Structures are given as structure tokens and as C-alpha cells.
Amino acid sequence: MRSIAGLVSVGLMVAAAPAGANECHSGSGDILKLSEWSASARDERSTNVSFTLENVTGRTVQMVDGTVWFEDALGQSIGGISITPDVAAPAGTKLDQKSLMAGFDRLIEARKQDIKAFSCIEAVLYEDGTKEEFE
């Protein structure tokens, strides 16, 4: 199992979040599926966010342009975290990513069952050089 560990991103993506629960406004949710996530407070201004993605394509993914989105049960955006682009993930592989984020304190304050989390992939490069873009 390959994993991406120790990646630290500081910042807040405040772009418009996808509209529906577990639906991507743009992109595909069927390339690297979010299988689990967790959050913990680092200090009063930042949150440690970890998530696991699984390559469900049946092909090796070399690079990806995508985001993991978080929203509450009422559809309000909490924010998005960019997925590390250089994933090199064989089919069936699980990838772990850790990020340090500002403005994601709701992931801790709200009950986990009241938060919807999902991945949206906008583009992918497979190991064989094939590129796909999703709108």
C-alpha cells in the first residue's frame, strides 16, 4: 500500500462548494473515492485534517487534479482541500493525505454524521499516458 504522508498544506480554499450531497458540481467522484476522514485541533486557528482515498478505476493513476469537499447536512460549504497531484496510485490502492488547514474548525465542532465529505476529480493522467478531464 502506498501512502502520501506528512503533507502539510496551510490555507483555506473558499471556492464555491459542489451543490449536492456526494455530488461534484464539476468533476467525477468515481476515480479516487473518499473512504474515510478525520479532523483534530492543532491550535485555536488550525485543524489537522486527514483523509483516505481509494483508486477505484482499475488502472494506475499517475497524476490527479482534484479536491476533497466538506459540507454540512444543510448543504453549507465548510471548504475543500486539494488532493496532492502526484499520486502514483495503482488500482485498488489507498492513499492517505494529511493537511493543516485554517478555517476548518467546523469539522471538529459539528457531529461527524452531520458532515458530508466527498472527492471530486477534474482531471487524471493514467500511467499509460492517457488523460481524462471531467466537467
Side-chain angles (χ1 to χ4, degrees):
M1 177 187 308
R2 299 181 105 178
S3 67
I4 301 169
L7 175 70
V8 178
S9 302
V10 179
L12 169 65
M13 292 182 66
V14 195
N22 296 319
E23 293 181 15
C24 297
H25 178 66
S26 65
S28 173
D30 297 324
I31 303 297
L32 297 177
K33 284 210 178 257
L34 182 68
S35 60
E36 58 186 85
W37 67 272
S38 65
S40 62
R42 175 163 187 243
D43 54 40
E44 57 277 346
R45 291 178 300 239
S46 55
T47 303
N48 290 312
V49 181
S50 300
F51 55 85
T52 301
L53 300 162
E54 184 173 357
N55 177 353
V56 295
T57 65
R59 301 169 69 184
T60 297
V61 172
Q62 194 65 36
M63 294 178 131
V64 67
D65 177 12
T67 305
V68 170
W69 290 103
F70 297 90
E71 61 183 38
D72 68 22
L74 299 175
Q76 296 295 313
S77 175
I78 295 170
I81 301 174
S82 293
I83 299 168
T84 301
D86 300 316
V87 293
T93 299
K94 290 187 177 184
L95 305 165
D96 298 314
Q97 182 171 323
K98 297 178 182 183
S99 297
L100 179 61
M101 303 300 293
F104 278 68
D105 50 315
R106 286 201 63 211
L107 294 182
I108 301 165
E109 295 168 357
R111 296 182 314 169
K112 191 167 183 173
Q113 63 264 33
D114 292 335
I115 297 174
K116 299 170 189 163
F118 48 95
S119 61
C120 294
I121 306 303
E122 306 244 343
V124 65
L125 173 67
Y126 295 102
E127 183 179 48
D128 65 6
T130 305
K131 296 178 189 176
E132 279 190 282
E133 293 184 16
F134 307 95
E135 295 182 22

